Amino acid sequence: MSFKTAHKVDKSILNKFWQLAESNQEKIIQTSKTLVDDLHRRQVDESGVCEELHYCINRLVKGLASSRQSARHGFSVALCQILRNFPSVNVDVILGAIAEHLKFTQKESRSEQGNILLGKVLAYLTIVQSGQIASATQEHVQKIVQNLLQVCKKRAFLTQISIHAISLIVSQVNTDVFRMSVWSEIEADLTQGWTGCSPDTLLLLSACQKYHVKVVDKAFLKTYWGSSKVFCAENLKNIWNVIKLSVSSYPVIHLINDEIVQQLTTAKISIIDFWTEGRDVLFGKEHHKAVSLGLYLMTKLLPHLKTAEEIECLLPASVVRVLVKIIDGRQKKTNPVHQSASQFINGLVSYVKSSENAENSIAVLQCFYETQYPKGVNLTRSLETIVQSLSAEAAKQYGEILMKMFKKYMKVPKENMMGIQHVATHIRVLVTLPSTSSDHAWHLRLLQFLGIHSFWTVRAKSAEIPHCSNCTQPMEDKLRKPFQDNFYKALSNLLIYNTDKSKTSSLDSYLDTACSLCRYFQSLIEATEVTTPVVNLSEDEMEQWIKTVLCLMAMQEKNTANSPERLGLYRAFMLLFVFHGVHLFVSKENAVGALQDLHICYNKALKHKRRSTVKSAKSEPEWIEVVTELLLSMMSQGSNFARLAAKTIFSCLTEHVTPDSLGLITDVLKTEKGEETPISFEDEDKDNASDMDVEEEEENGHVSSEEEVEKSDEGSGSEEDTDEEEEEEEEVDDEFRNAVKSALGDAAEKSDSEEEKEESETELDDDAMFKFDEALIQVFKNMRKAKEAEAKENKQQLIAFKSRVLDLVEILVKSQPAADLTLDLIPPLLELMASTEKHKDGAVLGIGRRAGSVFRVLYRKAKIHGNVAVSRDRYLEALNNTIQFSTKVTTKQNIIDVSDACLLVIRLLMNLDVGSLGPSPMKTRSKSSQKEKDRKEERERDQESVHQIVVDTIQSNLQDFLKKKKQKLHTEFFYNMFSKFPVLYWPITETLLTTIQDDHVKVFIKTQACFLLSGMINKDVEKNIGEEAWNEFSLSLTAGVSRILRVITKEAFPAKLVHDVCVTLKKYLVCSQTPQEIPEEVTEKLESLKGSFNTDIRKEYHSIMGKLGKATPNVNQKKNKKRKSKDNADITGQTAENKKPKQTEKETPVSPSPNRKSKKRKQ
């Protein structure tokens, strides 16, 4: 089609060709549908081909030879859909387009010729896949087959796709057409038999035998192929020869392999016979091409495996070793061999999940663990996934098999190390299976197995004690370590696994299992003739262990029959005793002291109730403080079990947390010495106090004399001297001393006497001294690097510890802490956020962000109406400190968070919920007594007093901010508070209105005041403050707006001030039910300034005029008119000023966002 004709096609159709070339399958399909629908609307005569359809056919056919993105794929789909939906587009039309656009012109390179040939094959495939080949003439079919065979001869890499196209033609044409048009072209290749059989030949033969039995009958097969059936047991060797030849198509898998698997399963040929015949052909030499094909065939055979024998045949030890090498090797995931192995593993997981036969599932796992080969992370995870998919019956059978295999491995443990590790790992995985989640007896049996082989050796048989029916040899530490690790991992995984319907019932079941496990350990300790402990316990340690077991048994009985308020306490102490009890066998020193403290704390906790709200000096710490220290110690450990147990214990004790115990937690979050300077609530106050002291001294004439200054200097100097002396007296590290000696060599071995020193100095020349210098420089460099590495490691550990402690804080926050605890939580969270806001380290930034998210949860979940009394002075102190702290943060999110912290303190002080707009009214019954009414009035008076204090505090700081006395306060800090609780701060509007009407106030300050004022206007304010107060505000607002606009000119146009004035005025008109009449001078002034408006101001201006009923020309209407008629006089006569607002969007009510940066508001 000519260039001129192409431009006549609608642009909507042309754009679809770009979409068809994208590598998005869903988009290609959708675009093909819309293209067909569009062409249907344009195709008036069904018998003909419209211009657009003709253009699309030519362009699609031509595009099949394009190498751009996914053009071939998308264009093939679209062309196939056109052939299916337009009867007038027949085979003749497509063949004509192919002859015109997919031909050689003697100008193409070899690669371009290959693209053209591929385009031809794809065009023929669209004819076949659309179904048009069935109605084609014999001449057309023969021509297509001939062309496809010619492509095979010209380009070997196109042979497989061309043969596939011919096989599809064979499957669609009738026998007469096949005999006349197809058979005559391929008969010579199919009569060569197995001798010259290639994968392509066998693929064609299979298609011919399947669809044209009259032509390729039994007589033909027996004559040329030796038997009446191609796919039979007698031909397995020949079939494997063909499979071996198909390896050459790597990385593409030849289609004959899918056909062979399908035919074998249809013919019911034994999979064992088939795989045994040629398995070594693919895996014998471990060539990557053959292995890739072998793994592909295994994936295809998996769904057809019916018995355990077939699974064992498919996965012998030789194949498993190759599979392990690939999965856990260093090959890239994009490698075709690795992809084939991954697909097989995924297929294996799906097979086990869908298998109802437990024996088959176990057979799969046995094939892996019987292979003594080290398995890496990837395969281990895959096997664990398979184990997780086992049914309850299969899981128990597999567990018993593992235990029996362990006994077998322990006969020669050194030769079966991998098998022993495998048993320990999979026993641990079996503990938390979905299919056995509620079988607590099974969990106990598995934990007993891991526990006995972690800490004991069975030296005599016993039928009474579980897992003591066979003796075991003493294991080395490297063999016992996997059991101990998996034992603690199993306890950890089961702790967080929901075995019952609720978390609390799951925890109770876990504690019952753990107590039964401790009793089992006690039976092993008592059976001295049967078992020998790996670590012998001393008398004191044994006493603590027995005391712990007895205490657990007693708590287990009380836990089932106690009051609900005590349940959390019992759960916490039971888990504490279990954790430290089982650790008595690995870390005796720490566990003994912890158990002693726990017994004391447990006895105190049963007698003690919640504490006072103030921190008081006492002779000894409360039990909750001791427990908190233990929990922090557990959180600092590298054991996942320790951390999970600590978090679970703390969640049971949140109602017992005191300010003192919380202080132990929050102290960890504070910046330590050696880190960056912390941002604290107290720093600036102390600095200010010291400055004030100096000022007072100067005012009172108390100035230090020069002698006093000199004395102080001498004192400081003496301190420095002592520090240097202390540094000199520090012991030198032995490793560093040895490094220096090694660098000095023989010179270091000489005596330190003065004479020998002088002699040695005279003996050394300059070259020798330079050598010593270089050696010593290297020693000091290494020392510095070691110190830097150690400091970096310590920093990372501290960050990790803080992150873990934040887990405890988050648990407390989600439990809705009382007011006193909330006040104690606010400062450390804000300090941690602020101290990391400018840090570049990702881990440190993560801690700050995490602290911010925890604080936001605290803001939402803090217990406002609590039963813990906190003094008013403490609330006000917290409010002032938080306001002061806001000057130290810089990022917008942190400013908003600090503002929310102030709101939180005020809500706690005034008992305000998050959704409240102001002081909540006290609800009373209509028939209340006089005493209740008096109490109500007293509470209301008290609340009004508190409200006034809050308003005065915020207003005082706002005035300082507007007068620039406190430069570091932020606009967003006030805006956030005003916009969330406007009624609470409504008295402050008087200050803001006074500021915007003051002619002596700078434009920037007026802009800030106007912005804050806009945040206090919403639809609920008028109803909450009352009609009288709203009318008074309306008068002041209109007067203030008039006064501001009166002095503004086009020459001195403060855009930001005008914008905020318009926003405030618009919000007033939108939110007011009966708005005050806006003076004419305001609208006239805005109209006169319209030429200086930017897009944002213009949008607000149009909204204001619309609310006032003074509609302005609508830009969208003008656009529509311009599209309808370009000659319209009203449109062509528009001025440049009227055309400028075309970019404005559809008008929507806009509220000023607190996210605006203060620096952008400067004039």
Side-chain angles (χ1 to χ4, degrees):
M1 186 171 288
S2 66
F3 181 82
K4 183 177 180 181
T5 308
H7 274 270
K8 292 182 180 179
V9 179
D10 191 88
K11 190 175 181 180
S12 62
I13 294 179
L14 295 175
N15 289 336
K16 289 182 174 61
F17 291 99
W18 291 98
Q19 298 172 4
L20 288 171
E22 295 182 9
S23 56
N24 187 329
Q25 188 170 354
E26 293 181 1
K27 195 167 187 178
I28 288 173
I29 295 172
Q30 186 60 34
T31 304
S32 301
K33 290 180 180 179
T34 56
L35 177 62
V36 170
D37 294 340
D38 201 353
L39 292 174
H40 265 302
R41 288 192 295 269
R42 300 171 189 274
Q43 180 78 356
V44 180
D45 185 8
E46 294 184 359
S47 60
V49 178
C50 67
E51 184 179 353
E52 290 82 1
L53 180 58
H54 186 254
Y55 171 79
C56 289
I57 293 170
N58 286 323
R59 181 162 179 178
L60 289 172
V61 170
K62 188 176 182 179
L64 293 176
S66 172
S67 59
R68 179 171 59 88
Q69 293 183 356
S70 300
R72 293 193 186 105
H73 176 57
F75 283 27
S76 298
V77 173
L79 185 59
C80 187
Q81 292 300 316
I82 288 175
L83 284 167
R84 288 177 178 175
N85 289 277
F86 294 93
S88 58
V89 182
N90 52 31
V91 177
D92 194 36
V93 174
I94 302 301
L95 291 177
I98 294 172
E100 180 181 356
H101 299 291
L102 299 177
K103 60 183 180 180
F104 295 160
T105 60
Q106 306 300 325
K107 296 181 180 179
E108 300 88 358
S109 63
R110 181 172 176 80
S111 62
E112 290 173 341
Q113 290 178 357
N115 289 333
I116 293 173
L117 291 174
L118 177 57
K120 279 187 176 183
V121 177
L122 293 175
Y124 295 142
L125 272 172
T126 57
I127 296 174
V128 177
Q129 291 173 335
S130 66
Q132 290 282 356
I133 194 68
S135 60
T137 63
Q138 293 183 5
E139 292 78 9
H140 285 158
V141 174
Q142 187 171 14
K143 182 178 180 181
I144 291 173
V145 173
Q146 289 174 350
N147 289 340
L148 288 171
L149 291 173
Q150 288 178 3
V151 170
C152 294
K153 296 177 182 178
K154 292 180 179 179
R155 294 292 187 274
F157 71 91
L158 296 176
T159 300
Q160 185 177 170
I161 189 173
S162 301
I163 296 300
H164 174 58
I166 296 174
S167 66
L168 290 177
I169 294 173
V170 170
S171 67
Q172 293 189 30
V173 299
N174 57 48
T175 302
D176 293 335
V177 175
F178 169 73
R179 182 181 285 110
M180 298 297 297
S181 303
V182 183
W183 182 249
S184 59
E185 303 295 332
I186 63 175
E187 182 180 6
D189 293 331
L190 300 185
T191 55
Q192 294 180 5
W194 289 108
T195 305
C197 182
S198 67
D200 300 319
T201 304
L202 188 58
L203 185 65
L204 283 177
L205 178 65
S206 177
C208 295
Q209 181 196 15
K210 190 185 298 184
Y211 297 104
H212 302 287
V213 183
K214 294 181 180 180
V215 179
V216 184
D217 53 9
K218 292 182 179 180
F220 174 84
L221 293 175
K222 198 165 186 179
T223 302
Y224 297 102
W225 296 86
S227 61
S228 58
K229 292 182 179 180
V230 177
F231 299 95
C232 59
E234 292 80 9
N235 291 331
L236 285 180
K237 186 175 182 180
N238 295 321
I239 292 172
W240 272 105
N241 288 333
V242 174
I243 292 174
K244 188 176 181 181
L245 291 174
S246 70
V247 172
S248 60
S249 64
Y250 176 88
V252 178
I253 302 297
H254 201 286
L255 295 172
I256 190 58
N257 294 286
D258 294 283
E259 184 66 20
I260 289 172
V261 173
Q262 182 183 355
Q263 291 290 346
L264 288 175
T265 54
T266 304
K268 298 182 180 180
I269 299 174
S270 170
I271 293 178
I272 295 177
D273 294 341
F274 169 74
W275 193 244
T276 305
E277 179 70 32
R279 181 179 59 209
D280 294 337
V281 172
L282 300 176
F283 293 97
K285 296 182 180 180
E286 298 187 16
H287 193 276
H288 65 279
K289 294 182 180 180
V291 169
S292 178
L293 177 57
L295 292 171
Y296 179 82
L297 287 174
M298 290 169 64
T299 306
K300 292 296 179 181
L301 289 171
L302 266 178
H304 305 289
L305 302 179
K306 304 298 182 184
T307 64
E309 290 77 12
E310 292 177 345
I311 294 172
E312 292 171 0
C313 175
L314 189 72
L315 286 169
S318 58
V319 174
V320 171
R321 287 192 183 95
V322 175
L323 182 62
V324 173
K325 281 183 180 179
I326 296 170
I327 291 294
D328 293 319
R330 296 181 179 179
Q331 293 180 347
K332 296 181 179 179
K333 293 183 178 181
T334 55
N335 188 298
V337 182
H338 191 278
Q339 290 176 346
S340 298
S342 299
Q343 289 172 4
F344 174 72
I345 293 295
N346 295 334
L348 208 58
V349 173
S350 302
Y351 175 76
V352 174
K353 284 183 178 180
S354 60
S355 178
E356 298 178 357
N357 190 338
E359 293 181 358
N360 290 354
S361 302
I362 294 171
V364 170
L365 294 165
Q366 281 182 320
C367 292
F368 284 94
Y369 77 70
E370 286 184 352
T371 304
Q372 293 293 313
Y373 198 88
K375 299 166 185 62
V377 176
N378 295 326
L379 187 60
T380 300
R381 288 176 181 171
S382 301
L383 292 176
E384 289 181 6
T385 305
I386 294 174
V387 175
Q388 291 282 350
S389 306
L390 294 176
S391 62
E393 180 186 359
K396 292 182 179 180
Q397 289 183 18
Y398 184 53
E400 297 298 335
I401 291 172
L402 287 173
M403 294 176 193
K404 291 179 182 178
M405 293 302 299
F406 173 74
K407 297 173 185 177
K408 175 184 174 183
Y409 292 150
M410 283 305 295
K411 293 178 181 178
V412 190
K414 291 184 179 180
E415 297 180 3
N416 297 290
M417 291 180 61
M418 296 308 304
I420 293 173
Q421 292 180 13
H422 174 86
V423 168
T425 301
H426 278 207
I427 289 290
R428 183 255 304 167
V429 176
L430 287 173
V431 173
T432 52
L433 289 192
S435 58
T436 59
S437 60
S438 58
D439 194 343
H440 304 297
W442 175 244
H443 298 160
L444 177 60
R445 178 168 172 75
L446 296 173
L447 289 172
Q448 287 173 345
F449 178 82
L450 290 173
I452 189 174
H453 296 299
S454 296
F455 310 115
W456 280 274
T457 299
V458 181
R459 59 192 180 99
K461 296 181 180 180
S462 173
E464 298 177 357
I465 303 175
H467 307 295
C468 293
S469 57
N470 290 87
C471 298
T472 58
Q473 296 183 14
M475 283 191 286
E476 298 178 1
D477 290 341
K478 60 182 179 181
L479 280 179
R480 197 176 296 280
K481 188 70 165 58
F483 270 93
Q484 293 178 353
D485 292 343
N486 282 287
F487 173 71
Y488 288 118
K489 283 182 182 179
L491 287 174
S492 174
N493 295 341
L494 191 60
L495 177 58
I496 59 175
Y497 193 73
N498 290 331
T499 56
D500 294 325
K501 293 182 179 179
S502 65
K503 289 185 177 180
T504 53
S505 59
S506 297
L507 180 57
D508 290 336
S509 300
Y510 176 85
L511 292 173
D512 291 339
T513 303
C515 290
S516 300
L517 181 64
C518 290
R519 287 199 295 270
Y520 173 72
F521 282 3
Q522 178 62 23
S523 65
L524 294 176
I525 292 173
E526 294 174 353
T528 55
E529 297 180 355
V530 179
T531 59
T532 302
V534 177
V535 179
N536 292 316
L537 301 180
S538 63
E539 292 184 3
D540 293 339
E541 294 161 357
M542 184 62 69
E543 180 185 353
Q544 289 299 323
W545 166 256
I546 295 174
K547 192 175 179 182
T548 298
V549 173
L550 294 175
C551 190
L552 283 172
M553 294 172 65
M555 279 193 291
Q556 194 175 9
E557 294 176 0
K558 293 179 181 179
N559 192 22
T560 56
N562 213 297
S563 56
E565 60 269 12
R566 291 278 187 175
L567 289 178
L569 198 65
Y570 282 115
R571 292 186 185 115
F573 274 98
M574 285 178 72
L575 189 51
L576 276 168
F577 278 120
V578 167
F579 174 81
H580 289 95
V582 296
H583 276 79
L584 192 64
F585 301 100
V586 287
S587 55
K588 297 188 292 183
E589 297 80 6
N590 298 330
V592 171
L595 288 172
Q596 291 173 347
D597 293 338
L598 281 176
H599 287 294
I600 299 172
C601 292
Y602 174 63
N603 294 327
K604 287 185 177 181
L606 294 180
K607 304 174 184 178
H608 201 276
K609 291 189 177 180
R610 199 175 186 275
R611 74 286 179 258
S612 171
T613 60
V614 296
K615 299 178 181 179
S616 58
K618 46 192 177 295
S619 58
E620 60 180 17
E622 295 286 344
W623 68 267
I624 186 64
E625 296 173 39
V626 177
V627 172
T628 303
E629 289 181 348
L630 287 175
L631 295 180
L632 289 174
S633 175
M634 292 166 65
M635 293 299 287
S636 66
Q637 297 179 21
S639 168
N640 189 43
F641 177 43
R643 297 194 296 271
L644 288 175
K647 289 192 285 187
T648 305
I649 293 164
F650 191 69
S651 65
C652 298
L653 295 175
T654 50
E655 61 180 10
H656 300 279
V657 175
T658 64
D660 290 328
S661 60
L662 179 60
L664 297 173
I665 296 174
T666 55
D667 285 344
V668 177
L669 302 179
K670 296 178 181 178
T671 311
E672 301 291 339
K673 292 181 180 180
E675 295 184 66
E676 292 185 359
T677 304
I679 300 179
S680 172
F681 274 70
E682 302 174 357
D683 289 346
E684 189 166 325
D685 294 337
K686 291 180 180 180
D687 294 340
N688 292 340
S690 62
D691 293 341
M692 290 174 62
D693 293 341
V694 172
E695 289 175 2
E696 289 177 1
E697 289 178 0
E698 291 177 354
E699 290 176 2
N700 297 329
H702 299 296
V703 182
S704 300
S705 63
E706 293 181 3
E707 294 180 358
E708 292 175 349
V709 174
E710 289 176 0
K711 289 180 180 179
S712 62
D713 291 341
E714 291 174 1
S716 61
S718 62
E719 289 178 3
E720 292 176 1
D721 295 338
T722 54
D723 292 341
E724 290 177 2
E725 290 175 2
E726 288 176 359
E727 290 179 1
E728 290 175 0
E729 292 174 0
E730 288 181 0
E731 293 184 2
V732 181
D733 184 65
D734 291 338
E735 185 177 352
F736 175 67
R737 187 191 299 276
N738 294 332
V740 173
K741 286 183 177 180
S742 176
L744 293 175
D746 297 337
E749 298 177 359
K750 294 182 179 180
S751 173
D752 292 335
S753 65
E754 294 296 331
E755 295 180 1
E756 291 188 2
K757 280 184 180 179
E758 293 176 1
E759 292 176 5
S760 63
E761 288 175 2
T762 56
E763 291 175 1
L764 293 176
D765 57 5
D766 292 343
D767 293 337
M769 291 296 293
F770 284 136
K771 289 181 181 180
F772 286 144
D773 288 345
E774 292 176 0
L776 289 172
I777 288 171
Q778 189 61 42
V779 169
F780 282 101
K781 280 184 178 180
N782 294 338
M783 181 186 70
R784 187 187 62 186
K785 289 180 180 179
K787 287 185 177 180
E788 290 175 354
E790 184 181 1
K792 186 177 180 181
E793 178 66 22
N794 292 337
K795 183 179 179 181
Q796 291 176 350
Q797 290 180 0
L798 180 61
I799 292 171
F801 185 44
K802 286 185 177 181
S803 178
R804 295 169 187 173
V805 172
L806 273 177
D807 291 339
L808 299 181
V809 175
E810 188 173 8
I811 291 170
L812 180 61
V813 165
K814 289 181 178 178
S815 69
Q816 291 188 314
D820 55 339
L821 299 180
T822 301
L823 292 178
D824 288 340
L825 282 170
I826 291 174
L829 289 175
L830 294 182
E831 288 174 9
L832 190 57
M833 285 190 313
S835 62
T836 60
E837 65 180 7
K838 294 182 179 180
H839 213 286
K840 295 182 180 180
D841 188 0
V844 178
L845 278 175
I847 289 290
R849 290 169 183 163
R850 177 94 187 282
S853 64
V854 172
F855 168 75
R856 288 171 213 122
V857 176
L858 177 66
Y859 177 77
R860 295 193 303 269
K861 294 205 168 190
K863 189 181 291 183
I864 302 302
H865 307 287
N867 56 359
V868 178
V870 180
S871 66
R872 180 184 297 181
D873 292 339
R874 187 179 176 197
Y875 280 124
L876 295 176
E877 181 185 3
L879 177 61
N880 288 320
N881 288 341
T882 309
I883 294 173
Q884 191 64 38
F885 184 76
S886 69
T887 62
K888 303 176 183 179
V889 294
T890 55
T891 62
K892 183 185 297 183
Q893 183 59 57
N894 285 352
I895 293 170
I896 294 173
D897 286 336
V898 176
S899 178
D900 285 339
C902 289
L903 286 175
L904 179 56
V905 175
I906 293 170
R907 284 169 48 209
L908 292 170
L909 176 61
M910 302 185 65
N911 290 331
L912 293 179
D913 293 320
V914 175
S916 301
L917 292 171
S920 55
M922 305 300 295
K923 296 181 180 179
T924 58
R925 297 179 181 177
S926 57
K927 296 181 180 181
S928 57
S929 62
Q930 183 62 37
K931 189 179 292 186
E932 291 176 348
K933 290 180 180 179
D934 293 341
R935 283 200 299 266
K936 173 196 168 187
E937 292 176 358
E938 184 179 353
R939 285 194 297 268
E940 289 179 348
R941 285 194 300 270
D942 183 66
Q943 192 175 34
E944 289 177 2
S945 172
V946 172
H947 181 207
Q948 188 60 46
I949 294 173
V950 170
V951 171
D952 292 344
T953 302
I954 301 300
Q955 189 165 18
S956 173
N957 284 276
L958 177 63
Q959 288 174 345
D960 291 341
F961 168 70
L962 294 176
K963 294 177 181 178
K964 294 314 219 174
K965 288 185 178 180
K966 292 187 176 180
Q967 297 277 354
K968 293 183 179 179
L969 286 170
H970 305 278
T971 311
E972 287 82 0
F973 172 80
F974 294 105
Y975 186 91
N976 180 67
M977 287 197 292
F978 294 166
S979 60
K980 289 182 177 177
F981 287 81
V983 177
L984 179 68
Y985 302 107
W986 191 253
I988 298 177
T989 55
E990 184 178 349
T991 301
L992 297 174
L993 289 169
T994 303
T995 302
I996 65 175
Q997 295 184 54
D998 191 347
D999 294 335
H1000 300 289
V1001 174
K1002 294 181 179 179
V1003 172
F1004 174 70
I1005 301 300
K1006 288 186 178 182
T1007 306
Q1008 302 284 1
C1010 216
F1011 175 63
L1012 296 176
L1013 192 61
S1014 67
M1016 303 185 74
I1017 302 174
N1018 62 39
K1019 292 184 178 180
D1020 298 321
V1021 172
E1022 182 178 2
K1023 178 177 64 177
N1024 283 281
I1025 67 173
E1027 183 179 355
E1028 183 179 353
W1030 181 255
N1031 290 335
E1032 183 179 352
F1033 168 75
S1034 301
L1035 290 172
S1036 301
L1037 178 64
T1038 53
V1041 170
S1042 300
R1043 191 158 186 167
I1044 290 174
L1045 295 176
R1046 194 177 300 144
V1047 297
I1048 295 176
T1049 61
K1050 290 184 177 180
E1051 291 75 17
F1053 185 78
K1056 293 179 181 177
L1057 175 60
V1058 174
H1059 176 266
D1060 286 342
V1061 167
C1062 290
V1063 168
T1064 305
L1065 187 58
K1066 185 201 73 173
K1067 289 188 72 175
Y1068 167 75
L1069 293 172
V1070 170
C1071 299
S1072 179
Q1073 297 178 359
T1074 55
Q1076 185 75 23
E1077 184 177 353
I1078 305 301
E1080 287 291 332
E1081 64 173 325
V1082 172
T1083 56
E1084 290 176 359
K1085 187 67 174 181
L1086 289 173
E1087 183 70 25
S1088 66
L1089 297 172
K1090 190 167 61 174
S1092 302
F1093 289 173
N1094 57 28
T1095 304
D1096 294 334
I1097 300 176
R1098 194 176 297 277
K1099 189 194 313 184
E1100 305 299 333
Y1101 167 74
H1102 287 310
S1103 299
I1104 293 170
M1105 292 304 178
K1107 284 293 178 182
L1108 294 175
K1110 301 179 181 181
T1112 57
N1114 194 316
V1115 180
N1116 293 329
Q1117 291 180 359
K1118 291 184 178 183
K1119 286 185 177 180
N1120 294 333
K1121 289 180 181 179
K1122 189 171 183 180
R1123 290 172 184 169
K1124 291 180 181 178
S1125 174
K1126 291 184 179 180
D1127 299 330
N1128 191 306
D1130 294 335
I1131 295 177
T1132 53
Q1134 290 181 67
T1135 62
E1137 182 178 337
N1138 291 332
K1139 290 182 181 180
K1140 187 176 181 181
K1142 285 184 180 181
Q1143 296 178 351
T1144 57
E1145 300 176 356
K1146 192 174 181 180
E1147 295 179 6
T1148 54
V1150 178
S1151 299
S1153 171
N1155 294 334
R1156 300 169 59 179
K1157 295 184 179 179
S1158 58
K1159 65 180 182 180
K1160 290 185 178 179
R1161 305 187 55 81
K1162 293 182 180 180
Q1163 296 292 336

